[in-house]
Amino acid sequence: MRAKHRRAIKMAISLKFAGVTLDGVEEWGDELKNRVDPETFPRRDGSIIQEVAFKDPIRLRLPYHVSKADEATLKTYLNSLGALMESGRDKLYLRDDSRYLNAIITGLSRSHRAGDAAALTARGVIEFLVDDPYFYSDTETASAEQDPAASPHTFQITNSGKARTPVRIEIKADAAAATDVKLTNTTTSLFARFSGTITANQILVIDSKKRSIQNGGANGLNSFTGSFWELEQGVNNLEYIGPVAVLVTVYHTERWILN
């Protein structure tokens, strides 16, 4: 009996960028190097440039092949695709798992092949630059709000991602002003200290990702010492030192190198 041969059927991958589903993408791949061009970040003192290899941006090249029921539908899709060139940096989802890359479209092409119905089918390549080479969770994680009864006050927070991740520390002066507050990640011995005064009912925000200090909405960088530390993978032990009439919350977003 003659064996029956089955033809492999290609299944398009479902991707989404800036809220638009990218149809007809049949493959994607990424490559992450652990060192950028040395001319981009020349070697300097460790106090200026960290003594680590900076992660290179990811460049994605996504070939696509779309077929629509009629010419108007194809044009509508291609118009929406072209409009993404104006969208700037936005979220790129490669899987339906609530994890995204911060990406920018850097190239878009369209072509037709002999045998294709030009009014119904289009092929091309979408190119992305991912300058921040991490997959991020859609959900921000917050520690339990801390209401210290004594100083020092210790608590824990868990980073369930597979990469270090920056934190956003919010310290609210509760009923009275609070002066000189310090939060240390004792897992790494790194600390963030604000020696200024937080007015009653105002919030101090120490943002490690943005490298910024906002005290009641005003720039408080001049009163900051220490570092914009990150959470290690797993459990991190934290220690608060300062006035106890405060509320402390630590926020982070889990992230991964590959997804």
Side-chain angles (χ1 to χ4, degrees):
M1 182 179 293
R2 181 177 297 177
K4 293 182 178 179
H5 297 279
R6 293 184 178 180
R7 182 179 179 182
I9 300 175
K10 290 185 177 180
M11 299 296 291
I13 303 168
S14 178
L15 300 95
K16 186 168 65 175
F17 177 70
V20 175
T21 298
L22 307 180
D23 291 341
V25 176
E26 297 179 339
E27 67 174 279
W28 63 266
D30 49 59
E31 179 181 358
L32 178 64
K33 297 179 180 179
N34 202 35
R35 186 178 295 278
V36 298
D37 189 325
E39 293 181 359
T40 305
F41 288 99
R43 181 174 177 81
R44 295 190 178 99
D45 293 339
S47 60
I48 300 175
I49 298 296
Q50 298 180 31
E51 295 180 357
V52 297
F54 287 85
K55 293 179 179 62
D56 208 11
I58 299 173
R59 291 170 175 82
L60 292 173
R61 190 174 185 274
L62 309 179
Y64 70 88
H65 177 198
V66 294
S67 296
K68 300 298 182 181
D70 52 63
E71 185 175 17
T73 305
L74 180 63
K75 284 184 176 180
T76 297
Y77 172 72
L78 293 176
N79 285 338
S80 65
L81 193 62
L84 294 179
M85 292 291 289
E86 303 292 329
S87 65
R89 196 169 188 253
D90 215 310
K91 294 180 179 180
L92 172 63
Y93 293 87
L94 300 179
R95 290 191 175 96
D96 187 18
D97 62 356
S98 300
R99 300 180 187 183
Y100 65 88
L101 293 162
N102 291 305
I104 302 170
I105 286 187
T106 56
L108 182 63
S109 67
R110 185 184 68 172
S111 64
H112 298 285
R113 293 183 182 178
D116 282 348
L120 304 178
T121 302
R123 301 172 187 265
V125 175
I126 311 169
E127 296 179 346
F128 289 96
L129 172 67
V130 183
D131 57 327
D132 177 11
Y134 290 95
F135 287 87
Y136 285 89
S137 170
D138 254 344
T139 305
E140 185 178 60
T141 301
S143 69
E145 185 178 69
Q146 304 295 307
D147 185 3
S151 176
H153 170 79
T154 60
F155 61 105
Q156 293 182 331
I157 187 168
T158 300
N159 171 21
S160 298
K162 295 301 180 184
R164 294 186 185 93
T165 191
V167 294
R168 189 177 78 255
I169 303 165
E170 295 191 2
I171 302 176
K172 180 180 180 180
D174 200 5
T179 300
D180 197 358
V181 295
K182 178 181 178 183
L183 189 64
T184 301
N185 186 344
T186 58
T187 300
T188 59
S189 298
L190 298 176
F191 69 90
R193 180 180 180 182
F194 181 75
S195 59
T197 297
I198 312 168
T199 304
N201 298 313
Q202 293 297 311
I203 299 176
L204 171 71
V205 180
I206 302 173
D207 195 319
S208 293
K209 186 174 180 65
K210 295 180 179 179
R211 298 291 197 269
S212 68
I213 310 292
Q214 293 290 312
N215 181 24
N219 184 8
L221 195 58
N222 288 340
S223 298
F224 176 76
T225 54
S227 63
F228 292 105
W229 48 262
E230 299 180 335
L231 292 180
E232 298 294 306
Q233 296 178 43
V235 176
N236 289 250
N237 298 301
L238 308 184
E239 179 186 69
Y240 167 80
I241 296 177
V244 296
V246 297
L247 299 173
V248 182
T249 309
V250 179
Y251 300 86
H252 74 280
T253 300
E254 294 168 1
R255 62 184 185 176
W256 300 261
I257 297 293
L258 292 176
N259 183 26

